[in-house]
Amino acid sequence: METATHPPAAPAAAQAGAAAQAAADTSGLDREVLLAGLEMMVRIRSFEDRVQREFARGEMPGFVHTYHGAEAVAAGVCAHLSEDDLITSTHRGHGHCIAKGCDLEAMVAELYGRETGLCAGRGGSMHIADFSRGMLGANAIVGGGIALATGAALAADTLGDGRVAVAFFGDGAANQGVLHESLNLAAIWRLPVVYVCENNGWAESTPAGYATSVVDVSSRAVAYGIVGVTVAGDDFEAVYTAACDAVYRARAGEGPTLLEAKVARIRGHYIGDPQQYRPRAERQEARRRDPVARLVEQLGTEAAPGRDAVASEIDAAFERGPRGAWPDPGTVERDVYAPAASQRAPVAAPPADREITFLEAVHEALRAAMAADDSVVVLGEDISGGGGLGGPHEGAMGGTFGATRGLLEAFGPQRVRDTPISEAGFVGAATGAALAGLRPVVDLMWASFAPLCFDQIFNQAAKMRYMFGGQTAVPLVLRMAVGAGLRAAGQHSDTLYTAFAGMPGLKVVAPSTPADAKGLLLRAIADDNPVVFLEHMGLYRTTGPVAAAPYEVALGAAACVRPGDDVSLVAVGECTLRALDAAEQLAGEGVSAEVIDVRSIAPLDAETICASVARTGRAVVVEESPRRCGLAAEIAAVISENTFAALSHPVARVTAANSPVPFSPPLEDAWLPTAADILSAVRAMA
Amino acid sequence: MLELILPKTGIYEGDVTLIEWLVAEGGEVAIGDPLFLMESEKIEMEIESDTDGWLHREAEAGLEAPIGTRIGAIAETPDERAALCGN
């Protein structure tokens, strides 16, 4: 196969001098480079042959996808990377691990689900990672690693540390939207990233010729104004040379490359795949495109250098790896969250010295966090506005509600980035950046937009620490506006409390006062876990006393905001104001209501909530999501489990209706939980 | 010599069945050639040879057994195959 370049390569003389020089240096590669490449390819092949054999015996749990046929790609690309450079990988990721230097025994132990594995048995083959080697994880979501690598490159670019990120993915991922969002992001920001498509012609059982509209995936680079190159992926020299150019381009600040390597899938999609969907002749042809055999032939060598050493290395890994200890079942919930012990105590709040709005409190928190820590960056749609225009226009928007206004001027465009409307792309990039040294705060505008990036939040950010055996923290904050009452209707009003709180690995916060907004947001930014920070639109203009100096409010702590003896009103977010309103009216009727502001939805402060209910004997849970499977159901269950003996009445729920949020004012008013609903619930307990 | 076993072919970990040999005893096989039919979880599949050589069969069609059970071998030479037969 000839190397194809999209757009067609400029004449060498017209290229940047250094880039042309780098390319020239690799033409006619030294025999030593080729021999080193062959040794790596043999290491990968031998490992995968052994995996195939051992898997068949039945003692390796789950299922496994081997890297047979693509060895030249991992070897040829990773040869240009240092240990500090970062890669993301795929479900077919063993080759990437090995080429990036992962320990073979710890890899084997992981495939067998052992505590001694790279990820302590929490990840397995499809989620194997080694952060000490810059290997940011295999990914069982097709295309799942692409935005993460983009974010790793964003971190490298922001920190100016010279690292390069590489996203490996298959041709199946070429049709995932997140690839296209990521290519565009990397192009507009000229990020140091290389997108490597290992096109083996099959997305599981679906041929690329059927599923992909172009012959060369690299031709899609044209759509994003970046360089696209296709090489024969079974030709080590071709891959090595093209990767050299691409990595050089990234390191030189010349932006991303889409490098496609056409490889043959020598084996099935997974070990044991009967491949009935695949013509025998095509499979035989695939076996002939063997990169290891090709390089051996090219070198005219009888045996790869170090073949014996590689063999004994692999024997040793398979001898010891499967004998590692099983994880202790008692540790099943370990490493879901970064431990509290790794974090300092919250900075106590000084006395509040003036009244500001909730929105100003959010802004103050962002400004204080950015001033205190250079690794804090904010990004999102329209957080500045007027991008690139300069003058009075750039920065004039300052976010949909104005929370980020002034940050661009104070901290510059590297740390305050407007994003295109690419939720999966930029939330994934923020997650990847959080893995690579930044503490991103993302403005997602509305929680109703979160479904556009659920994979990035749910499968990536929330699960990474756990799946990778506690190797990494994910210090990421996702700010979102929530709530009805502003006539914004169905797709701009959701709270999605249970959607977020139901994901182990996420923390979820919903403040109701300006003071808590500032303290909780500062604490969320300091937390080493992904925190979903939900700001109710109805609260933005409310005012309250707030200390000017930075301080923190602990996550996971509810607050008693009005003491009482007869009934506990357990409220979430803006519903706290309705509960306070109801409590005031109840006082007029001689009923003493205690109001608990939940503040932190995950983790939930069951202790404070239950202590209140145990004392009053009555509980009304008030929150703004549809009743069915809503947050109130969870809180009511927690109360019932813990305080049943003290309850004089069943726990009552005051929630929104079981419908999307309607537009028409009388309908929306009927949808919302109100103080009157709370009063009715309490009176029914008389 | 490469040992032939009833292989694990997916997530299923229960017993599997050797339905039918597709190569005669002593037959020469090449990598990728179908060797036998196996049933796993009611799905029949052809198991192919991972190597070149001569087949030695040690189990009869119809055998239902756990994954990992040895059912034969691929010898590297006809002589090695003959030795496996004990003749």
Side-chain angles (χ1 to χ4, degrees):
Chain A
M1 179 188 302
E2 290 179 22
T3 295
T5 303
H6 304 279
Q15 292 183 2
Q21 182 63 42
D25 285 345
T26 59
S27 60
L29 294 179
D30 284 351
R31 189 174 169 82
E32 279 184 18
V33 169
L34 298 177
L35 287 169
L38 180 59
E39 181 174 337
M40 180 58 76
M41 289 162 64
V42 168
R43 179 177 283 112
I44 297 170
R45 172 65 59 86
S46 307
F47 184 90
E48 294 294 58
D49 280 346
R50 187 66 179 268
V51 167
Q52 175 120 8
R53 213 161 85 216
E54 300 300 333
F55 181 87
R57 293 182 194 282
E59 281 160 26
M60 204 181 285
F63 48 97
V64 174
H65 313 78
T66 65
Y67 197 64
H68 287 99
E71 292 86 348
V73 185
V77 172
C78 292
H80 302 289
L81 303 180
S82 77
E83 207 165 85
D84 294 332
D85 292 321
L86 303 162
I87 67 168
T88 63
S89 171
T90 72
H91 57 287
R92 201 179 299 289
H94 303 168
H96 308 134
C97 285
I98 295 170
K100 201 66 175 60
C102 296
D103 179 72
L104 297 186
E105 181 183 330
M107 281 182 69
V108 173
E110 187 61 31
L111 301 192
Y112 280 86
R114 305 302 162 132
E115 184 67 38
T116 49
L118 278 178
C119 304
R122 270 66 174 177
S125 169
M126 287 197 293
H127 315 97
I128 194 164
D130 185 351
F131 279 62
S132 72
R133 302 283 171 167
M135 162 50 179
L136 304 184
N139 212 303
I141 304 300
V142 170
I146 295 171
L148 301 174
T150 308
L154 174 64
D157 183 59
T158 305
L159 299 168
D161 55 22
R163 288 177 299 173
V164 163
V166 175
F168 289 99
F169 56 97
D171 52 290
N175 301 318
Q176 281 279 29
V178 73
L179 170 66
H180 298 263
E181 294 185 16
S182 298
L183 291 177
N184 184 60
L185 277 179
I188 64 167
W189 291 338
R190 294 180 76 79
L191 297 179
V193 56
V194 182
Y195 298 95
V196 179
C197 178
E198 297 172 329
N199 184 348
N200 68 16
W202 292 93
E204 191 160 347
S205 73
T206 304
Y210 169 83
T212 304
S213 64
V214 291
V215 173
D216 292 338
V217 169
S218 74
S219 67
R220 290 179 170 173
V222 174
Y224 302 100
I226 65 173
V227 177
V229 182
T230 293
V231 297
D234 58 341
D235 179 350
F236 174 80
E237 193 163 359
V239 174
Y240 183 94
T241 305
C244 181
D245 287 352
V247 171
Y248 181 87
R249 202 174 287 125
R251 260 192 241 289
E254 294 169 20
T257 303
L258 175 54
L259 171 58
E260 176 188 27
K262 294 258 173 72
V263 298
R265 199 182 78 192
I266 292 177
R267 301 294 175 110
H269 172 61
Y270 56 90
I271 298 178
D273 178 2
Q275 303 193 80
Q276 308 97 322
Y277 52 83
R278 201 172 172 192
R280 192 167 293 275
E282 192 269 338
R283 294 168 57 191
Q284 284 166 346
E285 168 61 21
R287 275 196 292 274
R288 282 194 285 274
R289 289 169 57 202
D290 182 333
V292 179
R294 178 173 176 156
L295 189 49
V296 167
E297 192 179 339
Q298 184 183 339
L299 283 164
T301 175
E302 272 296 301
R307 186 181 283 266
D308 292 344
V310 165
S312 49
E313 194 186 347
I314 287 170
D315 282 345
F318 278 86
E319 171 68 21
R320 293 194 295 260
R323 296 209 303 240
W326 287 110
D328 174 356
T331 63
V332 66
E333 291 187 358
R334 192 188 72 196
D335 292 329
V336 178
Y337 294 97
S342 74
Q343 300 181 4
R344 53 182 174 65
V347 177
D353 38 17
R354 75 264 138 85
E355 295 245 332
I356 59 173
T357 65
F358 188 99
L359 190 65
E360 288 164 337
V362 169
H363 175 85
E364 278 193 6
L366 292 171
R367 185 176 280 268
M370 295 190 78
D373 183 349
D374 286 346
S375 68
V376 176
V377 300
V378 299
L379 66 165
E381 296 157 6
D382 300 309
I383 60 166
S384 298
L389 296 180
H393 305 292
E394 191 163 5
M397 176 85 172
T400 303
F401 302 97
T404 46
R405 193 170 299 143
L407 297 181
L408 176 71
E409 292 80 350
F411 302 104
Q414 281 284 92
R415 295 179 62 198
V416 184
R417 289 190 192 243
D418 267 338
T419 66
I421 303 174
S422 307
E423 282 82 0
F426 70 75
V427 170
T431 304
L435 304 177
L438 295 184
R439 305 185 80 84
V441 182
V442 176
D443 185 333
L444 202 54
M445 285 196 181
W446 276 274
S448 296
F449 301 167
L452 288 160
C453 47
F454 246 40
D455 174 57
Q456 307 300 328
I457 301 172
F458 186 94
N459 281 315
Q460 312 299 339
K463 295 179 183 173
M464 287 185 130
R465 179 178 177 80
Y466 187 81
M467 287 195 308
F468 301 155
Q471 287 184 65
T472 187
V474 187
L476 170 71
V477 176
L478 300 167
R479 291 181 49 235
M480 306 175 204
V482 299
L486 280 86
R487 317 311 185 202
Q491 294 171 341
H492 283 71
S493 305
D494 296 299
T495 56
L496 298 184
Y497 293 143
T498 39
F500 297 121
M503 298 177 192
L506 293 183
K507 293 187 177 182
V508 187
V509 181
S512 75
T513 66
D516 280 349
K518 179 170 177 177
L520 285 169
L521 182 51
L522 275 165
R523 189 61 179 168
I525 295 170
D527 198 281
D528 283 337
N529 298 285
V531 182
V532 175
F533 194 86
L534 302 172
E535 302 164 12
H536 197 290
M537 285 189 284
L539 294 170
Y540 277 137
R541 306 292 166 206
T542 61
T543 59
V546 178
Y551 62 92
E552 294 170 335
V553 172
L555 307 185
C560 176
V561 293
R562 177 183 174 121
D565 300 317
D566 300 331
V567 60
S568 300
L569 307 180
V570 180
V572 178
E574 195 257 2
C575 281
T576 305
L577 305 193
R578 300 169 203 224
L580 286 168
D581 182 8
E584 189 62 30
Q585 294 185 54
L586 287 165
E589 299 172 16
V591 176
S592 167
E594 179 153 294
V595 179
I596 304 293
D597 180 354
V598 170
R599 297 202 295 189
S600 178
I601 297 168
L604 186 72
D605 183 359
E607 196 177 328
T608 298
I609 295 167
C610 293
S612 170
V613 178
R615 201 165 43 73
T616 62
R618 296 178 177 84
V620 179
V621 184
V622 192
E623 60 101 2
E624 188 189 318
S625 30
R627 189 179 189 80
R628 186 175 60 236
C629 297
L631 179 58
E634 168 70 11
I635 296 175
V638 168
I639 292 171
S640 300
E641 283 170 352
N642 290 288
T643 67
F644 186 72
L647 287 173
S648 63
H649 293 76
V651 179
R653 289 181 286 164
V654 172
T655 68
N658 273 327
S659 75
V661 180
F663 170 65
S664 178
L667 289 176
E668 188 179 37
D669 293 347
W671 184 90
L672 282 163
T674 63
D677 297 332
I678 299 169
L679 291 174
S680 300
V682 173
R683 286 173 188 144
M685 292 179 176
Chain B
M1 183 203 76
L2 184 71
E3 185 179 40
L4 272 186
I5 59 172
L6 292 173
K8 185 181 174 194
T9 55
I11 295 177
Y12 180 68
E13 292 181 336
D15 287 359
V16 295
T17 305
L18 171 62
I19 302 285
E20 182 188 353
W21 285 104
L22 301 174
V23 177
E25 169 65 28
E28 186 174 359
V29 297
I31 188 167
D33 284 353
L35 292 178
F36 59 91
L37 268 182
M38 187 178 89
E39 184 185 296
S40 170
E41 259 194 324
K42 299 184 180 170
I43 296 168
E44 274 189 25
M45 63 189 78
E46 286 181 359
I47 303 300
E48 298 174 352
S49 183
D50 277 340
T51 187
D52 300 335
W54 283 263
L55 174 67
H56 171 56
R57 305 178 355 182
E58 295 171 1
E60 295 302 319
L63 173 73
E64 186 177 343
I67 282 166
T69 302
R70 175 168 166 142
I71 57 167
I74 306 285
E76 287 177 30
T77 63
D79 287 350
E80 188 186 49
R81 203 278 312 171
L84 286 169
C85 293
N87 56 25

